[in-house]
Each structure stands twice: as structure tokens, then as C-alpha cells.
Amino acid sequence: MPFKLVLEKRVKDVPPWYPFATSIGSVVIAFIISGLILKLIGGQPLEVARYFFTAAFGSWAAFSDTLVKATPLILVGLACTVAFKMKLWNIGAEGQFYMGAFFASLVVLLPILPPDSPKIVVIGAMMVMGMIGGAIWGFIPGYLKARFSINEIISTLMLNYVAILWNNFWIFNTWSDAGFQMTPTFPKSAWLTRVTDYARPYKAFMQNTDSGLTRFLESIGLERISGMTLHLGVVFGLIAVVIVWWLLERSRWGYEVALIGDNPHAARYAGLNIARNIILVMMVSGALAGLAGMSEVTGVVHRLQERISPGYGFTGIIIAWLAKLNPFAVVPVAILFGGLILAGREIQPSGLAMMLQGFILFMIISSDVLLRYKIRFSK
Amino acid sequence: MDPIIILHAGLATGTVLLFATIGELITERAGILNLGLEGMMLIGAMAGFSTSLATNNPWLGLVVAMLAGGALSMAHGLVTIHFQADQVVSGLSLTFLGTGIAMVFGEGLTGQNPPTIPVIDIPGLASIPWVGPVFFENHSVLVYVGYLLIPAAWYFIHKTRPGMHLRAIGEKPEAADTMGVNVYRLRYFYVFVGGCLAGLAGATISLAVSPGWYSVQTTSGQGWIAIGLVIFAQWDPLRAAVGSYLFGALRRGILDLQGPPTLFGLTNPLYVNSNWGFFLQMTPYILTILALVLGARAAAKKRIGAPAALGVPYIRGERGL
């Protein structure tokens, strides 16, 4: 070779805009490579790209659907962020999601609360149960790592399969609705409020009056919100973002977590209880993923059923990494991936969205080298 | 519930895990953790299957499957060896990438019937009572290849000079470098070997053990079980073989348990209500975790651990630990 690739270690820190630029560049390159592969197998990448964009962001209704997909992604993205901050590789958000959905559903299915309980009590109980379910599923690998130093990647992954099979047993066997692979629909008191729920009362109100207010509401297109399935879960997600940000960036515990992640030896000398923090971080991470499962059950499907997640837990890993473990950055990244999953459902070949996610993650970690090294060509 | 049938089928199913586990074991011995096994297996399964379909030559399918797995592993090699990226995250992204690419290119392969790897008896050995029918009769050629791979891998790692270099770059790369071993080049090579074996494991599913392409269901998490088995095996090919065949027999036994109406003279609960099978299907995953707990205890007792430099990027001239 006439030229040699040389990596030169950076002496100074990179400017603050640099990580954003490399992230965006990585996503763009991933899209281009995926497009080329699509072209190679005889597809029409530009058509698909246009379809992707219209289906995900083309109208307010489409954007509402995208946000519905982004809601669980925000929560699992945060779940992975918390764990990765301590370099705990929780690959089990998928299983924790399913366990959260299962435990939340117990409130209605067992039932824990009488069927005529007020909505706020039912939803509150389901939130708590969902988080407990996820936390239990995070506790097991956390304990195994703290006590036996069992590799958490393997244990969380194996527990994903166990959680899905566990859910299937109850859906197929105990609570099957007339032999279908789903439970009966939950009562309305277990439904998270959706935007479309607001459309109806306003409509009734508008027919009776002809005021400036109604004309104004019509002019902004109030009827458009009917049919919008965006639900309260997105608010849970945004509140969780702030809480996780405070926990990780402002609290003493967050400092401990970051210290253990960066330098476990120093943390041990500083007298931090590493075993306890491993279990705690795994439980917090699991609880967030469990809340995502609860939000999906109460906000979208309104029952427990098979395949409630098209791999949200795994996408959460990519989201956390793309957001560089910054809780606020999780939101826009989750929206991008929400759109990708929404539009990807109807695109052939079916693996395209998955492949694109793979390329994005791969480009991101490759681009990290640019943050640490200068690349130079020399003779 | 004939034990001979279960053991026989278990050896076939276990061969998939065997190839994947030994491949990963060799990669990890070189100090590189490649969690992308599932993705490389899927790519191998898809590439082997479609090659056999297009050319009517299953052997060519095997070659292409190995090259496909190896090619994908090179992406991991570049990112972890030269760019010093985190091996865990890189391996995970390799899983996504391999799964996605396999799904995209595997579109429309389901339901096709390409020629598969032939099934043969070993003359002479097959007539040994008990042992013959289990080990040497009516198996795919790949199962016999697996038998040969076990001692070969063991001998290579423990008794040969290149094997010593392999262990050195995984235990103390800076010392190996001082001795004139090209750490970077060898690490690339063993990542590639691991990728090839993972691709072979995938093709073993799609062209021999349970022929067909069923998208992601083709591997159904066996790549991850293999990664668990490497730890259980304490990076030793002989133990890896025991673990692989054991898990193979287990996977097979689970399927067979659901068939008969009675078991040991009692009514088979799985036959009456097949939903109990969900609990049975959990066992390989739960046992993988248990195997890790047992492996960890045994390793702690004998002071055997992972290769010392596993997961640590080697940066020439920058530091010597």
C-alpha cells in the first residue's frame, strides 16, 4: 500500500459539537449503505425512503402513531442508559418489558383490585406492579452477578426467553380469550387516556354553540385529533427522563454509579458497596423496562397478548448508545426509531428495519474512534 | 422415548452448538469476545441454504456459509482490534446486523427444499452394539466432522506452537508482541476462524440438522447458548463438546417428551395440555444460567478463568500492563 493509516491519540478534548456530528454522520452513512444493499437486491431505495418518511412523519396522525411507538422506546432506552452507565450490560430489557406487562395485567386479571375500582387507582396499581415485575426480572441477574459473578449478558438474555415463554403460558392456558392467544380486553378503567378520548366531548360541545371559541377550535382542526392514539404513557416517559437525568447527573448515587462504571478499582478503594449497587442498578433498569411494558398493555393493546414487543428491549440498547447515555438525547433518538419501527412494519423485505438498526449501531461505535484519535494518512 | 433415538438426535442437534462453541472459544482464547454469534450463525444458515438452492451443491453451500460468517466477523475484528471499540457493544451490533442482513436476503427462501448434506454410516464402527447406532449410524457427515474437530481443536490449542501463540495473545499480548508474534494479525485471523465456524454452525442447521430457512427462528437463540457454554466449558474444547452434546440431547428430549400419551406408565400431562410445554421449553435457558453458576464455582475452586486479556484492546506501544 502506498499510504498507511495512522491513528494518532488526541491530546485535547474534542469540541462539544463533535459527538453530535459523528452520530448524525453515522446515521446518514447507515442509511446510505442500507439503501445500496436494497438497490442490490432489486429494491427502490428512494421510494422506500419516501414511504418511510411519509408513514412516520408525513402528517400529525402519522406522527402521533410514531410517538406511540416511541413511548416504550424512551422507557427501555432509559433502562439501558442506567445500566450501561455502570457498564452493566443489561440485554434483558425485553424480558423485563414482558414481566412488567405481566405483573401490571395481574391487577386486572387476577384480579388484585375489584373490577369497579376508580381509574386512577387501577392505573396507579398497574404502574407499581409493572415496575415491580421488571425490577424482579432485573434483580435475578443482578444478584447472580453480585453473588456468583455470573456474566449478566448471558443471564439477562436467557431470562428474555424465559419471560416470553412464561407470558405465553398464561396467555395460552389460563387467561386465553376463547382459545385465542390473548386475554380478554381490559375494562376501560385500565386504559390510559388517549388524545382521541378528548375529541368526543369537544365535538358534542361544539354542536350546541356557535361562538368564537368553537370557530377557533375548528380552524386549528380539532377534528384531526379524533383517532389519534397517542396516550398518557408518553408523559410517563418524559417524567422518567427528568428523574433519570437527576438520578444520574445530579444525585450522589448517580456519581457512585458513574464512578463504578469508569473505574471499579477506585470505587472499591473509595469504599463503595459495588455488589449492592449492581443489584440496585439492575432493579432500577428493570423497573423502567417494566413500566414500558405496563404502558404498552394499558395504552395500546388493552390486554395481555403474545408478541406485545417487536424487540423494543433490543432497540433500547441502540437508542441508549446513540444517545451517548444522555437521558434527554434518548427522546429524539427514540422518536427516530419509533418512526423506523412504525414504517418498517409494512416494508418488504421485513428485515430491512433490523438491518438498518444494525448498521446504525455499527457506524456509531466505529465513529467513536474519531473522538479519541485523529486519523491520518502517511507515506 | 427410546434413549438411543434421543441420544442419536441429540448428537446431531449438539453439533450445531459444538461448532459455534468451539469457534467462539478460539476467538476468546485470542482475547476477543465476539457476542455476534447469533448474527453470524443466521448469516451462515441463510448463505449456505441459498447457495445450495442456487447451485444444487450443498458442499458449496457450506463453503459460502463459512465465508459469510467469517466476512461478518471481520467487521467486528476491524472495530475492536483497530478502532478499540467496546467488544460487547460491537458484538451486539453484529447480532443486529447479521440478523437483519440474513432476514433481508433470506426473503422468499422459506419453504424451499435445496439438496442437503448427505447422511452416512461409518462402515465397521456402525455395527458396534449400542455405541454404533448412537454415534456412527445414520448421521449427517457434519456430525462426524464435529467428532474430529474436538480433539483437533484441543491438540491445536494445547500442544502446537501456533496454539501457544494463540493462548499468548489472549493472556499477555504485550509479551507475545515482544517475542515477535504479530498480535493484530493473529487476532484478526482467529476472529475470522470463529466467524467461519459460526457460519458453519448456521449451515449445519439449515442444510443438515433441521433443513430449511425459518428466518430468525432458524437459530432461536442457540448462538447465545453457545456463548454461555464457552464459559461453562472454561475455554476448553473437551468440556465444550460435553456441554454442546448435553444441550443438544436436552433440546431434542424436550420435543420428544410432548409426543407420547403416556410416560413411564402415567398419563403424560404434556399430551393432555400442551401448554405445559412452555415450561419445558424454558429449561435450556434456565440450565444455561445454572451451568454458568456451576462453571463459576468450579473455576473459582481450580483458579481457572477467562483469558486474562479477554475484552481488552491491545494498543501497541501505548501501554504494557
Side-chain angles (χ1 to χ4, degrees), chain B residues 164-187:
Chain B
M164 191 184 77
H165 290 164
L166 163 65
R167 282 179 286 140
I169 59 172
E171 293 287 349
K172 221 165 175 33
E174 56 283 346
D177 201 351
T178 323
M179 298 293 288
V181 174
N182 190 330
V183 177
Y184 282 24
R185 189 182 298 164
L186 273 187
R187 281 191 165 179

Side-chain angles (χ1 to χ4, degrees), chain A residues 7 9 37 40-41 87 89 91 144 147-151 153-155 157-159 161-162 165-166 168-170 172-173 314-315 317-318 321 348-352 354-355 357-359 361-362 365-366 369 372-373 375, chain B residues 33 35 38 75-76 79 82-86 88-90 92-94 96-97 99-101 103-105 107 216 220-221 224-225 227-228 231 273 275-276 278-279 281-282 284-286 288-289 292-293 296-297 315 318:
Chain A
L7 295 179
K9 199 160 180 112
I37 289 184
L40 189 74
I41 59 168
K87 297 222 165 65
W89 304 111
I91 315 302
L144 288 174
R147 176 79 176 72
F148 302 106
S149 32
I150 299 302
N151 187 321
I153 300 169
I154 311 289
S155 58
L157 239 146
M158 295 296 130
L159 287 173
Y161 293 101
V162 175
L165 289 165
W166 168 266
N168 279 351
F169 173 76
W170 297 98
F172 279 75
N173 191 69
F314 299 107
T315 306
I317 299 166
I318 306 181
W321 210 254
Q348 296 295 327
S350 55
L352 195 64
M354 176 76 125
M355 184 176 79
Q357 291 183 32
F359 274 121
L361 186 56
F362 218 82
I365 53 168
S366 311
V369 73
R372 283 175 289 127
Y373 293 90
I375 291 189
Chain B
L33 176 71
L35 295 179
E38 184 85 359
H76 181 69
V79 172
H82 260 109
F83 294 169
Q84 297 138 28
D86 191 287
V88 172
V89 189
S90 170
L92 285 174
S93 66
L94 207 64
F96 280 104
L97 201 56
T99 311
I101 293 175
M103 280 169 80
V104 168
F105 283 89
E107 190 85 357
V216 279
S220 62
W224 296 107
I225 291 184
I227 291 169
I231 302 173
N273 181 354
N275 288 330
W276 291 101
F278 286 123
F279 287 103
Q281 287 171 38
M282 289 178 194
Y285 307 115
I286 294 175
T288 304
I289 297 177
L292 289 188
V293 175
R297 291 197 138 177
I315 309 162
E318 206 163 81

Side-chain angles (χ1 to χ4, degrees), chain A residues 263-276:
Chain A
N263 195 339
H265 295 292
R268 192 166 288 127
Y269 282 122
L272 298 183
N273 189 336
I274 294 181
R276 207 194 63 162

